[in-house]
Amino acid sequence: MSNDWCIKLVVTLALCCLRPTGILALFDPLSMGLAAGAALGLYKYETLKDQTYCRFRECCNDRYIPADISQLEKDLNNNLFGQHIVIQQLIPALKAHFSEARNSKKPLVISFHGTPGTGKNFVAEKIAKRIYAEGIRSNYVHRYIGRSAFPYESEAKHYSERLLKEVRSAISACPRSLFIFDEVDKMPPLVFDSLTSLINFNTVIDGVDGTKAIFIFLSNTAGVHISDRLGQLIKGGTLREDTKLSHFEQTLEKGAYNLDGGLKKTSLIESHLIDHFIPFLPLEKSHVYKCAQAEFNAWGKNPKEEVIERVINDFITYDRTHSIFATSGCKKLVNKVAVEANAHL
């Protein structure tokens, strides 16, 4: 007898306490007995499952979804460089989402924007690591990557329909699912439009509450606009550390809606269903230096300053407009440091 069949049987027994008129048969001993038995059966089933099956296989429960946002905050404070706005916006949003007192009527939807190498994937993977015991490998983390997930623009409608079915199925299996859409700028326009009704307010999917899910979109879209805006602010006398979300948010929303990519002209933006547009600021040399230092430490190495400087200078280039932002951020560091760490240290 399958687990799903057992659950359906319990639910059916519980519904037996309803009269054809829809009025609860409070004084019918048979109905009351059935209801009590169904509730007790469900409790015993869930307890037994938790103590047996779930000790060996991942389940959609607190053991496997600890959602340690405090540890995530520590991770980002220690390992994410030059992105104070990300931490300021992301951590409160996640804490609110997982709060016992939350009263949200929709899933949490976040859109990351920035040039390559600024930390979008790093943060997404850290989120998965701290929410799920199995991290990015969890059965409840679903990742779609650019053209590999949706290769043909002419098939956008088909992809959109398929995506809706997959997301509905995933949330039905575990309401606390995480969906990561990477390289959104390389996806066909309108591929996400089918999700609008699902992500909308008061979401219920096949009887399952969809408001516990999280959707994260990662895109290079508007990355150049973020760089230009930051350059203007710095030139005008604003310190990088003093910049705020309000300096970039409108630029991001307009850019995501108008520029090529999966969010172009999407009803997700038209219906104001994306809760947070978060900018990943372009990195400067000091931030790339810290990335290199952290990467060497991951290898158990603590090199001299001149070694780190040499590694950085071998690949770093700067934007032509402002001449202070590293065009590839920390993206090329992993392999560069790996070679140096194994060859010379």
Side-chain angles (χ1 to χ4, degrees), residues 89-90 93-94 96-98 102 104-113 127 167 171 177-181 184 192 195-201 203 210-218 245 249 263 266-278:
Q89 300 301 317
L90 179 64
L94 289 171
H97 182 72
F98 287 102
R102 75 185 291 264
S104 176
K105 296 181 179 180
K106 66 181 293 297
L108 176 62
V109 186
I110 305 172
S111 192
F112 292 168
H113 296 264
I127 291 172
V167 172
I171 293 180
S177 291
L178 170 64
F179 302 91
I180 300 173
F181 299 97
V184 170
F192 298 119
L195 298 181
T196 299
S197 59
L198 186 152
I199 291 177
N200 217 326
F201 292 86
T203 305
T211 64
K212 297 179 182 179
I214 300 175
F215 294 80
I216 301 178
F217 300 93
L218 283 65
L245 176 64
E249 193 169 29
L263 293 176
T266 180
S267 55
L268 289 178
I269 297 178
E270 290 175 348
S271 301
H272 306 288
L273 297 179
I274 297 180
D275 303 300
H276 305 279
F277 287 89
I278 299 183

CSV table of all heavy atoms in Angstrom, one decimal, residues 89-90 93-94 96-98 102 104-113 127 167 171 177-181 184 192 195-201 203 210-218 245 249 263 266-278:
chain,number,residue,atom,x,y,z
A,89,GLN,N,18.7,43.5,2.1
A,89,GLN,CA,17.4,43.2,1.6
A,89,GLN,C,17.0,41.7,1.7
A,89,GLN,O,15.9,41.4,2.0
A,89,GLN,CB,17.3,43.6,0.1
A,89,GLN,CG,17.5,45.1,-0.1
A,89,GLN,CD,16.6,46.0,0.7
A,89,GLN,OE1,15.4,45.7,0.7
A,89,GLN,NE2,17.1,47.0,1.3
A,90,LEU,N,18.0,40.8,1.5
A,90,LEU,CA,17.7,39.4,1.4
A,90,LEU,C,17.4,38.8,2.7
A,90,LEU,O,16.4,38.0,2.9
A,90,LEU,CB,18.9,38.7,0.7
A,90,LEU,CG,18.8,37.2,0.6
A,90,LEU,CD1,17.6,36.8,-0.3
A,90,LEU,CD2,20.1,36.6,0.1
A,93,ALA,N,14.0,39.6,4.2
A,93,ALA,CA,12.9,38.9,3.4
A,93,ALA,C,12.8,37.5,3.7
A,93,ALA,O,11.7,36.9,3.8
A,93,ALA,CB,13.3,39.1,1.9
A,94,LEU,N,13.9,36.8,3.9
A,94,LEU,CA,13.9,35.3,4.2
A,94,LEU,C,13.4,35.1,5.6
A,94,LEU,O,12.7,34.1,5.9
A,94,LEU,CB,15.3,34.7,3.9
A,94,LEU,CG,15.7,34.6,2.5
A,94,LEU,CD1,17.1,34.1,2.4
A,94,LEU,CD2,14.8,33.6,1.8
A,96,ALA,N,11.4,36.9,7.3
A,96,ALA,CA,9.9,37.1,7.3
A,96,ALA,C,9.2,36.0,6.7
A,96,ALA,O,8.1,35.5,7.2
A,96,ALA,CB,9.6,38.4,6.6
A,97,HIS,N,9.8,35.4,5.6
A,97,HIS,CA,9.1,34.3,4.9
A,97,HIS,C,9.0,33.1,5.8
A,97,HIS,O,8.0,32.3,5.8
A,97,HIS,CB,9.9,33.9,3.7
A,97,HIS,CG,9.3,32.8,2.9
A,97,HIS,ND1,8.2,33.0,2.1
A,97,HIS,CD2,9.7,31.5,2.7
A,97,HIS,CE1,7.9,31.9,1.5
A,97,HIS,NE2,8.8,31.0,1.9
A,98,PHE,N,10.0,32.8,6.6
A,98,PHE,CA,10.0,31.6,7.5
A,98,PHE,C,9.5,31.9,8.9
A,98,PHE,O,9.6,31.0,9.8
A,98,PHE,CB,11.5,31.1,7.6
A,98,PHE,CG,11.9,30.3,6.3
A,98,PHE,CD1,12.7,30.9,5.4
A,98,PHE,CD2,11.4,29.1,6.0
A,98,PHE,CE1,13.1,30.3,4.2
A,98,PHE,CE2,11.7,28.4,4.8
A,98,PHE,CZ,12.6,29.0,3.9
A,102,ARG,N,4.3,34.8,10.2
A,102,ARG,CA,4.0,35.4,8.8
A,102,ARG,C,2.6,35.2,8.4
A,102,ARG,O,1.9,34.3,8.8
A,102,ARG,CB,4.9,34.7,7.8
A,102,ARG,CG,4.5,33.3,7.4
A,102,ARG,CD,5.5,32.6,6.5
A,102,ARG,NE,5.5,33.2,5.2
A,102,ARG,CZ,4.9,32.8,4.1
A,102,ARG,NH1,4.1,31.7,4.2
A,102,ARG,NH2,5.0,33.4,3.0
A,104,SER,N,1.8,36.0,5.0
A,104,SER,CA,1.8,36.2,3.5
A,104,SER,C,0.8,35.4,2.8
A,104,SER,O,0.5,34.3,3.1
A,104,SER,CB,3.2,35.9,3.0
A,104,SER,OG,3.3,36.1,1.6
A,105,LYS,N,0.3,36.0,1.7
A,105,LYS,CA,-0.7,35.3,0.9
A,105,LYS,C,-0.1,34.9,-0.5
A,105,LYS,O,-0.9,34.6,-1.4
A,105,LYS,CB,-1.9,36.2,0.7
A,105,LYS,CG,-2.7,36.5,2.0
A,105,LYS,CD,-3.9,37.4,1.8
A,105,LYS,CE,-4.6,37.6,3.1
A,105,LYS,NZ,-5.8,38.5,3.0
A,106,LYS,N,1.2,34.9,-0.6
A,106,LYS,CA,1.8,34.5,-1.8
A,106,LYS,C,3.2,34.0,-1.6
A,106,LYS,O,3.8,34.2,-0.5
A,106,LYS,CB,1.9,35.7,-2.8
A,106,LYS,CG,2.8,36.8,-2.4
A,106,LYS,CD,2.8,38.0,-3.3
A,106,LYS,CE,3.5,37.6,-4.7
A,106,LYS,NZ,4.9,37.3,-4.5
A,107,PRO,N,3.8,33.3,-2.5
A,107,PRO,CA,5.2,32.8,-2.4
A,107,PRO,C,6.2,34.0,-2.4
A,107,PRO,O,5.8,35.1,-2.8
A,107,PRO,CB,5.4,32.0,-3.7
A,107,PRO,CG,4.1,31.7,-4.2
A,107,PRO,CD,3.2,32.8,-3.8
A,108,LEU,N,7.4,33.7,-1.9
A,108,LEU,CA,8.4,34.8,-1.9
A,108,LEU,C,9.1,34.7,-3.3
A,108,LEU,O,9.6,33.7,-3.7
A,108,LEU,CB,9.4,34.5,-0.8
A,108,LEU,CG,10.6,35.4,-0.8
A,108,LEU,CD1,10.2,36.9,-0.5
A,108,LEU,CD2,11.6,35.0,0.3
A,109,VAL,N,9.1,35.9,-4.0
A,109,VAL,CA,9.7,36.0,-5.3
A,109,VAL,C,10.8,37.0,-5.3
A,109,VAL,O,10.5,38.2,-5.0
A,109,VAL,CB,8.6,36.3,-6.4
A,109,VAL,CG1,9.2,36.2,-7.8
A,109,VAL,CG2,7.5,35.3,-6.2
A,110,ILE,N,12.0,36.7,-5.7
A,110,ILE,CA,13.2,37.6,-5.7
A,110,ILE,C,13.9,37.5,-7.0
A,110,ILE,O,14.0,36.5,-7.6
A,110,ILE,CB,14.2,37.2,-4.6
A,110,ILE,CG1,13.5,37.1,-3.2
A,110,ILE,CG2,15.3,38.1,-4.5
A,110,ILE,CD1,14.3,36.5,-2.1
A,111,SER,N,14.3,38.7,-7.5
A,111,SER,CA,15.0,38.7,-8.7
A,111,SER,C,16.4,39.4,-8.5
A,111,SER,O,16.5,40.5,-8.1
A,111,SER,CB,14.2,39.6,-9.8
A,111,SER,OG,14.8,39.4,-11.0
A,112,PHE,N,17.5,38.6,-8.8
A,112,PHE,CA,18.9,39.1,-8.6
A,112,PHE,C,19.3,39.6,-10.0
A,112,PHE,O,19.1,39.0,-11.0
A,112,PHE,CB,19.8,38.0,-8.3
A,112,PHE,CG,19.6,37.4,-6.9
A,112,PHE,CD1,20.2,36.2,-6.5
A,112,PHE,CD2,18.8,38.0,-5.9
A,112,PHE,CE1,20.1,35.7,-5.2
A,112,PHE,CE2,18.7,37.5,-4.6
A,112,PHE,CZ,19.3,36.3,-4.3
A,113,HIS,N,20.0,40.8,-10.0
A,113,HIS,CA,20.5,41.4,-11.2
A,113,HIS,C,21.9,41.9,-11.0
A,113,HIS,O,22.2,42.5,-9.9
A,113,HIS,CB,19.6,42.6,-11.7
A,113,HIS,CG,18.2,42.1,-12.0
A,113,HIS,ND1,17.8,41.9,-13.3
A,113,HIS,CD2,17.1,41.9,-11.2
A,113,HIS,CE1,16.5,41.5,-13.3
A,113,HIS,NE2,16.1,41.6,-12.1
A,127,ILE,N,21.8,30.1,-0.1
A,127,ILE,CA,20.4,30.0,0.3
A,127,ILE,C,20.0,28.6,0.4
A,127,ILE,O,19.4,28.1,1.4
A,127,ILE,CB,19.5,30.9,-0.6
A,127,ILE,CG1,19.8,32.4,-0.5
A,127,ILE,CG2,18.1,30.6,-0.3
A,127,ILE,CD1,19.1,33.2,-1.5
A,167,VAL,N,6.3,22.9,-11.8
A,167,VAL,CA,6.2,23.7,-10.5
A,167,VAL,C,5.1,23.2,-9.7
A,167,VAL,O,5.2,23.1,-8.5
A,167,VAL,CB,6.2,25.2,-10.8
A,167,VAL,CG1,5.9,26.0,-9.5
A,167,VAL,CG2,7.5,25.6,-11.5
A,171,ILE,N,5.5,21.6,-5.9
A,171,ILE,CA,4.9,22.2,-4.7
A,171,ILE,C,3.9,21.3,-4.1
A,171,ILE,O,3.8,21.2,-2.8
A,171,ILE,CB,4.3,23.6,-5.0
A,171,ILE,CG1,5.3,24.6,-5.5
A,171,ILE,CG2,3.5,24.1,-3.9
A,171,ILE,CD1,4.8,26.0,-5.8
A,177,SER,N,9.2,24.3,-1.4
A,177,SER,CA,10.2,24.1,-2.5
A,177,SER,C,10.9,25.4,-2.8
A,177,SER,O,10.3,26.5,-2.7
A,177,SER,CB,9.5,23.5,-3.7
A,177,SER,OG,9.1,22.2,-3.4
A,178,LEU,N,12.1,25.3,-3.4
A,178,LEU,CA,12.8,26.4,-3.9
A,178,LEU,C,13.1,26.3,-5.4
A,178,LEU,O,13.5,25.2,-5.8
A,178,LEU,CB,14.2,26.5,-3.2
A,178,LEU,CG,15.2,27.5,-3.7
A,178,LEU,CD1,14.7,29.0,-3.6
A,178,LEU,CD2,16.6,27.3,-3.0
A,179,PHE,N,12.8,27.3,-6.1
A,179,PHE,CA,13.0,27.3,-7.6
A,179,PHE,C,14.0,28.4,-8.0
A,179,PHE,O,13.8,29.6,-7.6
A,179,PHE,CB,11.6,27.6,-8.3
A,179,PHE,CG,10.6,26.5,-8.0
A,179,PHE,CD1,9.7,26.8,-6.9
A,179,PHE,CD2,10.5,25.4,-8.7
A,179,PHE,CE1,8.7,25.8,-6.6
A,179,PHE,CE2,9.5,24.4,-8.3
A,179,PHE,CZ,8.6,24.7,-7.3
A,180,ILE,N,15.1,27.9,-8.6
A,180,ILE,CA,16.1,28.9,-9.0
A,180,ILE,C,16.2,28.9,-10.5
A,180,ILE,O,16.4,27.9,-11.2
A,180,ILE,CB,17.5,28.4,-8.4
A,180,ILE,CG1,17.5,28.4,-6.9
A,180,ILE,CG2,18.6,29.4,-8.9
A,180,ILE,CD1,18.7,27.8,-6.3
A,181,PHE,N,16.0,30.1,-11.1
A,181,PHE,CA,16.1,30.2,-12.6
A,181,PHE,C,17.3,31.0,-12.9
A,181,PHE,O,17.4,32.3,-12.6
A,181,PHE,CB,14.8,30.9,-13.1
A,181,PHE,CG,13.6,30.2,-12.8
A,181,PHE,CD1,12.8,30.5,-11.7
A,181,PHE,CD2,13.2,29.1,-13.6
A,181,PHE,CE1,11.6,29.8,-11.4
A,181,PHE,CE2,12.0,28.4,-13.4
A,181,PHE,CZ,11.2,28.7,-12.3
A,184,VAL,N,18.5,34.0,-16.6
A,184,VAL,CA,17.2,34.4,-17.1
A,184,VAL,C,17.3,35.2,-18.4
A,184,VAL,O,16.4,35.2,-19.3
A,184,VAL,CB,16.4,35.1,-16.0
A,184,VAL,CG1,15.1,35.8,-16.6
A,184,VAL,CG2,16.1,34.2,-14.9
A,192,PHE,N,7.8,32.6,-18.5
A,192,PHE,CA,7.4,32.6,-17.1
A,192,PHE,C,5.9,33.0,-16.9
A,192,PHE,O,5.4,33.0,-15.8
A,192,PHE,CB,8.2,33.4,-16.2
A,192,PHE,CG,9.7,33.0,-16.1
A,192,PHE,CD1,10.7,33.9,-16.6
A,192,PHE,CD2,10.0,31.8,-15.6
A,192,PHE,CE1,12.0,33.5,-16.5
A,192,PHE,CE2,11.3,31.3,-15.6
A,192,PHE,CZ,12.3,32.2,-16.0
A,195,LEU,N,3.3,31.1,-14.8
A,195,LEU,CA,3.5,31.1,-13.4
A,195,LEU,C,2.7,32.2,-12.7
A,195,LEU,O,2.6,32.2,-11.4
A,195,LEU,CB,5.0,31.2,-13.0
A,195,LEU,CG,5.9,30.1,-13.5
A,195,LEU,CD1,7.3,30.4,-13.0
A,195,LEU,CD2,5.4,28.7,-13.0
A,196,THR,N,2.2,33.1,-13.4
A,196,THR,CA,1.5,34.3,-12.8
A,196,THR,C,0.4,33.9,-11.9
A,196,THR,O,0.3,34.4,-10.8
A,196,THR,CB,1.0,35.3,-13.9
A,196,THR,OG1,2.1,35.7,-14.7
A,196,THR,CG2,0.3,36.4,-13.3
A,197,SER,N,-0.5,33.0,-12.4
A,197,SER,CA,-1.6,32.6,-11.6
A,197,SER,C,-1.2,31.8,-10.4
A,197,SER,O,-1.8,31.9,-9.3
A,197,SER,CB,-2.6,31.8,-12.4
A,197,SER,OG,-2.0,30.6,-12.9
A,198,LEU,N,-0.1,31.1,-10.5
A,198,LEU,CA,0.4,30.2,-9.4
A,198,LEU,C,1.1,31.1,-8.3
A,198,LEU,O,0.9,30.8,-7.1
A,198,LEU,CB,1.4,29.2,-10.0
A,198,LEU,CG,2.0,28.2,-9.1
A,198,LEU,CD1,2.4,26.9,-9.9
A,198,LEU,CD2,3.2,28.7,-8.4
A,199,ILE,N,1.8,32.1,-8.8
A,199,ILE,CA,2.5,33.0,-7.8
A,199,ILE,C,1.6,34.1,-7.3
A,199,ILE,O,2.0,34.7,-6.3
A,199,ILE,CB,3.8,33.6,-8.5
A,199,ILE,CG1,4.8,32.5,-8.8
A,199,ILE,CG2,4.4,34.7,-7.7
A,199,ILE,CD1,6.0,33.0,-9.6
A,200,ASN,N,0.5,34.2,-7.8
A,200,ASN,CA,-0.4,35.3,-7.4
A,200,ASN,C,-0.9,35.1,-6.0
A,200,ASN,O,-0.6,34.1,-5.4
A,200,ASN,CB,-1.6,35.4,-8.3
A,200,ASN,CG,-2.1,36.8,-8.6
A,200,ASN,OD1,-2.0,37.7,-7.7
A,200,ASN,ND2,-2.6,37.1,-9.8
A,201,PHE,N,-1.6,36.1,-5.5
A,201,PHE,CA,-2.1,36.0,-4.1
A,201,PHE,C,-3.1,34.9,-3.9
A,201,PHE,O,-3.8,34.6,-4.8
A,201,PHE,CB,-2.7,37.4,-3.7
A,201,PHE,CG,-1.6,38.5,-3.6
A,201,PHE,CD1,-1.3,39.2,-4.8
A,201,PHE,CD2,-1.0,38.8,-2.5
A,201,PHE,CE1,-0.3,40.2,-4.8
A,201,PHE,CE2,0.0,39.8,-2.4
A,201,PHE,CZ,0.3,40.5,-3.6
A,203,THR,N,-2.6,31.7,-3.3
A,203,THR,CA,-2.3,30.6,-4.1
A,203,THR,C,-2.6,29.3,-3.5
A,203,THR,O,-2.2,29.0,-2.4
A,203,THR,CB,-0.8,30.6,-4.5
A,203,THR,OG1,-0.5,31.8,-5.1
A,203,THR,CG2,-0.5,29.5,-5.5
A,210,GLY,N,0.6,27.0,-1.7
A,210,GLY,CA,1.8,27.4,-2.4
A,210,GLY,C,2.6,28.6,-1.9
A,210,GLY,O,3.6,28.9,-2.4
A,211,THR,N,2.0,29.2,-0.9
A,211,THR,CA,2.7,30.4,-0.3
A,211,THR,C,4.0,30.2,0.4
A,211,THR,O,4.7,31.1,0.7
A,211,THR,CB,1.7,31.2,0.6
A,211,THR,OG1,1.5,30.3,1.8
A,211,THR,CG2,0.4,31.5,0.0
A,212,LYS,N,4.3,28.9,0.6
A,212,LYS,CA,5.6,28.6,1.3
A,212,LYS,C,6.7,28.5,0.4
A,212,LYS,O,7.9,28.3,0.9
A,212,LYS,CB,5.4,27.3,2.2
A,212,LYS,CG,4.3,27.5,3.3
A,212,LYS,CD,4.2,26.1,4.0
A,212,LYS,CE,3.1,26.3,5.1
A,212,LYS,NZ,2.9,25.0,5.8
A,213,ALA,N,6.5,28.5,-0.9
A,213,ALA,CA,7.6,28.3,-1.9
A,213,ALA,C,8.4,29.6,-2.1
A,213,ALA,O,8.0,30.7,-1.7
A,213,ALA,CB,7.0,27.9,-3.2
A,214,ILE,N,9.6,29.4,-2.6
A,214,ILE,CA,10.5,30.6,-2.9
A,214,ILE,C,10.9,30.5,-4.4
A,214,ILE,O,11.3,29.4,-4.9
A,214,ILE,CB,11.7,30.6,-2.0
A,214,ILE,CG1,11.3,30.6,-0.6
A,214,ILE,CG2,12.7,31.7,-2.4
A,214,ILE,CD1,12.5,30.5,0.4
A,215,PHE,N,10.8,31.6,-5.1
A,215,PHE,CA,11.3,31.7,-6.5
A,215,PHE,C,12.4,32.7,-6.6
A,215,PHE,O,12.2,33.8,-6.1
A,215,PHE,CB,10.1,32.1,-7.4
A,215,PHE,CG,9.0,31.1,-7.5
A,215,PHE,CD1,8.0,31.0,-6.5
A,215,PHE,CD2,8.9,30.2,-8.6
A,215,PHE,CE1,7.0,30.1,-6.6
A,215,PHE,CE2,7.9,29.3,-8.7
A,215,PHE,CZ,6.9,29.2,-7.7
A,216,ILE,N,13.5,32.3,-7.2
A,216,ILE,CA,14.7,33.2,-7.3
A,216,ILE,C,15.1,33.3,-8.8
A,216,ILE,O,15.3,32.2,-9.4
A,216,ILE,CB,15.9,32.8,-6.5
A,216,ILE,CG1,15.5,32.8,-5.0
A,216,ILE,CG2,17.0,33.8,-6.7
A,216,ILE,CD1,16.6,32.3,-4.1
A,217,PHE,N,15.1,34.5,-9.4
A,217,PHE,CA,15.5,34.7,-10.7
A,217,PHE,C,16.9,35.3,-10.7
A,217,PHE,O,17.1,36.3,-10.0
A,217,PHE,CB,14.5,35.6,-11.5
A,217,PHE,CG,13.1,35.0,-11.5
A,217,PHE,CD1,12.2,35.3,-10.6
A,217,PHE,CD2,12.8,34.1,-12.6
A,217,PHE,CE1,10.9,34.8,-10.6
A,217,PHE,CE2,11.5,33.6,-12.6
A,217,PHE,CZ,10.5,34.0,-11.7
A,218,LEU,N,17.8,34.8,-11.5
A,218,LEU,CA,19.2,35.3,-11.6
A,218,LEU,C,19.4,35.8,-13.1
A,218,LEU,O,19.2,35.0,-14.0
A,218,LEU,CB,20.2,34.2,-11.3
A,218,LEU,CG,20.5,33.9,-9.8
A,218,LEU,CD1,19.2,33.2,-9.2
A,218,LEU,CD2,21.6,32.9,-9.7
A,245,LEU,N,19.0,50.5,-1.8
A,245,LEU,CA,18.2,49.8,-2.8
A,245,LEU,C,17.4,50.8,-3.7
A,245,LEU,O,17.3,50.7,-4.9
A,245,LEU,CB,17.2,48.9,-2.1
A,245,LEU,CG,16.2,48.1,-3.1
A,245,LEU,CD1,16.9,47.2,-4.0
A,245,LEU,CD2,15.2,47.4,-2.2
A,249,GLU,N,16.4,50.2,-7.6
A,249,GLU,CA,15.2,49.4,-7.8
A,249,GLU,C,14.4,49.7,-9.0
A,249,GLU,O,14.0,48.8,-9.8
A,249,GLU,CB,14.4,49.4,-6.5
A,249,GLU,CG,13.3,48.3,-6.5
A,249,GLU,CD,12.7,48.2,-5.1
A,249,GLU,OE1,12.5,49.3,-4.4
A,249,GLU,OE2,12.2,47.1,-4.8
A,263,LEU,N,12.2,37.6,-18.6
A,263,LEU,CA,11.3,38.5,-17.8
A,263,LEU,C,10.7,39.7,-18.7
A,263,LEU,O,10.0,40.5,-18.3
A,263,LEU,CB,12.0,39.1,-16.6
A,263,LEU,CG,12.3,38.1,-15.5
A,263,LEU,CD1,13.1,38.8,-14.4
A,263,LEU,CD2,11.1,37.4,-14.9
A,266,THR,N,6.9,40.5,-19.2
A,266,THR,CA,6.2,39.4,-18.4
A,266,THR,C,5.1,39.9,-17.5
A,266,THR,O,5.2,41.0,-17.0
A,266,THR,CB,7.2,38.6,-17.6
A,266,THR,OG1,6.5,37.5,-16.9
A,266,THR,CG2,7.9,39.4,-16.6
A,267,SER,N,4.0,39.1,-17.4
A,267,SER,CA,2.9,39.5,-16.5
A,267,SER,C,3.4,39.4,-15.0
A,267,SER,O,2.7,40.0,-14.2
A,267,SER,CB,1.7,38.6,-16.8
A,267,SER,OG,2.1,37.3,-16.6
A,268,LEU,N,4.5,38.7,-14.7
A,268,LEU,CA,5.0,38.7,-13.4
A,268,LEU,C,5.3,40.1,-12.9
A,268,LEU,O,5.1,40.5,-11.7
A,268,LEU,CB,6.2,37.8,-13.3
A,268,LEU,CG,6.0,36.3,-13.4
A,268,LEU,CD1,7.4,35.6,-13.3
A,268,LEU,CD2,5.1,35.8,-12.3
A,269,ILE,N,5.9,40.9,-13.8
A,269,ILE,CA,6.3,42.3,-13.4
A,269,ILE,C,5.0,43.2,-13.6
A,269,ILE,O,4.8,44.0,-12.7
A,269,ILE,CB,7.4,42.8,-14.3
A,269,ILE,CG1,8.7,42.0,-14.1
A,269,ILE,CG2,7.7,44.3,-14.1
A,269,ILE,CD1,9.9,42.4,-14.9
A,270,GLU,N,4.2,43.0,-14.6
A,270,GLU,CA,3.0,43.8,-14.8
A,270,GLU,C,2.1,43.7,-13.6
A,270,GLU,O,1.4,44.6,-13.2
A,270,GLU,CB,2.3,43.3,-16.1
A,270,GLU,CG,3.0,43.7,-17.3
A,270,GLU,CD,2.3,43.1,-18.6
A,270,GLU,OE1,1.4,42.3,-18.4
A,270,GLU,OE2,2.7,43.5,-19.7
A,271,SER,N,2.0,42.5,-13.0
A,271,SER,CA,1.1,42.2,-11.9
A,271,SER,C,1.8,42.5,-10.6
A,271,SER,O,1.2,42.2,-9.5
A,271,SER,CB,0.6,40.8,-11.9
A,271,SER,OG,-0.1,40.5,-13.2
A,272,HIS,N,3.0,43.0,-10.6
A,272,HIS,CA,3.8,43.3,-9.4
A,272,HIS,C,3.9,42.1,-8.4
A,272,HIS,O,3.7,42.2,-7.2
A,272,HIS,CB,3.1,44.5,-8.6
A,272,HIS,CG,2.8,45.7,-9.5
A,272,HIS,ND1,3.9,46.5,-9.9
A,272,HIS,CD2,1.7,46.2,-10.0
A,272,HIS,CE1,3.4,47.5,-10.6
A,272,HIS,NE2,2.1,47.3,-10.7
A,273,LEU,N,4.3,41.0,-9.0
A,273,LEU,CA,4.4,39.7,-8.2
A,273,LEU,C,5.8,39.4,-7.8
A,273,LEU,O,6.1,38.5,-7.0
A,273,LEU,CB,3.8,38.6,-9.0
A,273,LEU,CG,2.3,38.6,-9.3
A,273,LEU,CD1,1.9,37.4,-10.2
A,273,LEU,CD2,1.5,38.7,-8.1
A,274,ILE,N,6.8,40.2,-8.3
A,274,ILE,CA,8.2,40.0,-7.9
A,274,ILE,C,8.4,40.9,-6.7
A,274,ILE,O,8.3,42.2,-6.8
A,274,ILE,CB,9.2,40.4,-9.0
A,274,ILE,CG1,9.0,39.4,-10.2
A,274,ILE,CG2,10.6,40.3,-8.5
A,274,ILE,CD1,9.9,39.6,-11.3
A,275,ASP,N,8.6,40.3,-5.5
A,275,ASP,CA,8.7,41.1,-4.3
A,275,ASP,C,9.9,41.9,-4.1
A,275,ASP,O,9.8,43.0,-3.6
A,275,ASP,CB,8.6,40.1,-3.1
A,275,ASP,CG,7.3,39.2,-3.1
A,275,ASP,OD1,6.2,39.8,-3.1
A,275,ASP,OD2,7.5,38.0,-3.2
A,276,HIS,N,11.0,41.4,-4.6
A,276,HIS,CA,12.3,42.2,-4.4
A,276,HIS,C,13.2,42.1,-5.6
A,276,HIS,O,13.5,41.0,-6.1
A,276,HIS,CB,13.1,41.5,-3.2
A,276,HIS,CG,12.3,41.5,-1.9
A,276,HIS,ND1,12.2,42.6,-1.1
A,276,HIS,CD2,11.6,40.5,-1.4
A,276,HIS,CE1,11.4,42.2,0.0
A,276,HIS,NE2,11.1,40.9,-0.2
A,277,PHE,N,13.5,43.3,-6.2
A,277,PHE,CA,14.5,43.4,-7.2
A,277,PHE,C,15.8,43.8,-6.5
A,277,PHE,O,15.9,44.8,-5.9
A,277,PHE,CB,14.2,44.4,-8.2
A,277,PHE,CG,13.0,44.0,-9.2
A,277,PHE,CD1,11.7,44.3,-8.8
A,277,PHE,CD2,13.3,43.4,-10.4
A,277,PHE,CE1,10.7,43.9,-9.7
A,277,PHE,CE2,12.3,43.0,-11.2
A,277,PHE,CZ,11.0,43.3,-10.9
A,278,ILE,N,16.8,42.9,-6.5
A,278,ILE,CA,18.0,43.1,-5.7
A,278,ILE,C,19.2,43.3,-6.6
A,278,ILE,O,19.6,42.4,-7.4
A,278,ILE,CB,18.3,41.9,-4.7
A,278,ILE,CG1,17.1,41.8,-3.8
A,278,ILE,CG2,19.6,42.2,-4.0
A,278,ILE,CD1,17.3,40.8,-2.7
